[in-house]
Amino acid sequence: MTKHSSLFSVCVIAAVLALGFSSAARAASPNDNRPKVRAITAFIALDRAHYETQIAETLANLKKIKAAYEKAGFEVQTLRITTQPFPEYTRNLSDEQALAFFKKYDALAEKNGFDAAIGPANFPGSERPTGHASDDAHEALLLAKIIASTKILEGAVIIAGDDGIRWDAIPSAAAVIHYLADNSPNGLGNFRFAAIAMIPPNTPFYPASYQVNGNHTFAIGLQSANVVATALASSTNPQKAQKAIEDSLGNWARQIEAIAKRAAQETGWKYTGIDLSPAPLKEISIGGAIENFTHEPLGSNGTLAAVAIITRALKNIRVTRTGYSGLMLPVLEDSVIARRWSEGRLSINSLLLDSSVCATGLDVIPMPGDTTEAQIEPILKDVASLAYKWHKPLAARLLPVKGKKAGEQTEFQDPFLVNAKILPIR
């Protein structure tokens, strides 16, 4: 081979590699600070008699949508399938039959690699099907047993909606939390349960997700705490920082929405929106983003203002929004929030204060294992009252840790959780 031909070959190889790498660089450059797609969530009206066929068809379409995002350079973390409230499709089944069905459904989800929400144990507003007279407290206990006996399935109890605060549902939700604390490994069944207030249908984030008259639809949830962190770090001026979030996250959200709309045309499934909540994950910390802006530990004066800045920015982003689309402060899913919680700088009351300017409620809160239903109920009443007063979506995901006392550390061995000190219930 001559020197020139050798040089030519090297150039050709370099050009081919550059072409491939330039495509990959455009798709996934570490400098573009793109968000991840935490969830592509499909919503179906589950038909118990034909659910396996339904799931197969739904998964086929979810995988097409996932492929479209991956082709554009976005990492997709989970595929999810959400149903209507489960009492609608377990009518006329005994508890034993319902549990047997959901164990099969759970096994199907595990085998096929999707997350599954079976909706709330009670119905939103006036959506209860005609002639459906179920005992909501009984259905809530059944949900507790379903979650405790499965690995993947998630569900909820509605404690406030457009029809008002569900005072009678609050004890039921507290009973579910207490049951799961005692009857699931390390109480982690409560990671898959939430008491939800003013949560709209078609929410892609779990466990609050459900659908009502939303068959063959899908929504997108983002992991975008990194985007917000970079934007907040760009300026100490509140208005400029807010604008930076609007511009940066808004740019990514519009790209993500455009892909969703094209996928909707190709699959025939209706796109219902993006949940813009900047979800964190451990070291990808929204708590750290806020601290880098305020230059004070989370929970100090100025935290609420930073929360409000992020919330206003989210509201100004012009895409089809769904779900919470607010700030998430999940204690055990964010390393900085967990640290400040352990230091006593955060509390249930301070997190509720942040929720007043549109956070998402009380999320993955570690609690002593001997926490009683009577201690849980007032917390749920506060969440329901705040949500209904300001007509905002909030949820409570509380984790009493069996065998642990206030002052002790959690010891979860879960890839999605960090550990924190358990604080006393006041």
Side-chain angles (χ1 to χ4, degrees), residues 38 154 177 187-195 206-207 280-282 324 328-335 337-338 341 346 348 351 360-367 395-401 410 412 414 416-422:
R38 171 71 66 86
E154 310 204 12
I177 294 167
L188 273 178
N190 275 309
F191 189 58
R192 296 183 280 126
F193 171 77
Y206 280 15
L281 182 62
K282 299 177 82 170
Y324 296 96
M328 290 183 169
L329 296 172
V331 172
L332 294 179
E333 291 182 328
D334 183 303
S335 59
I337 300 175
W341 173 272
L346 298 174
I348 285 174
L351 290 172
T360 51
L362 301 175
D363 202 10
V364 280
I365 306 291
M367 303 173 76
R397 192 160 44 151
L398 310 178
L399 274 69
V401 185
T410 63
F412 295 123
D414 187 286
F416 300 106
L417 296 178
V418 294
N419 286 298
K421 184 184 289 187
I422 298 170

Side-chain angles (χ1 to χ4, degrees), residues 39-70:
I40 306 173
T41 304
F43 302 92
I44 63 171
L46 191 74
D47 177 358
R48 196 176 74 241
H50 305 99
Y51 77 98
E52 290 175 304
T53 300
Q54 272 187 298
I55 295 303
E57 293 174 350
T58 302
L59 273 176
N61 284 289
L62 280 173
K63 288 175 180 177
K64 290 178 183 177
I65 300 168
K66 178 185 178 183
Y69 279 108
E70 290 177 336

Side-chain angles (χ1 to χ4, degrees), residues 25-36:
R26 286 197 305 272
S29 166
N31 297 321
D32 66 12
N33 196 42
R34 68 180 54 214
K36 295 179 181 179

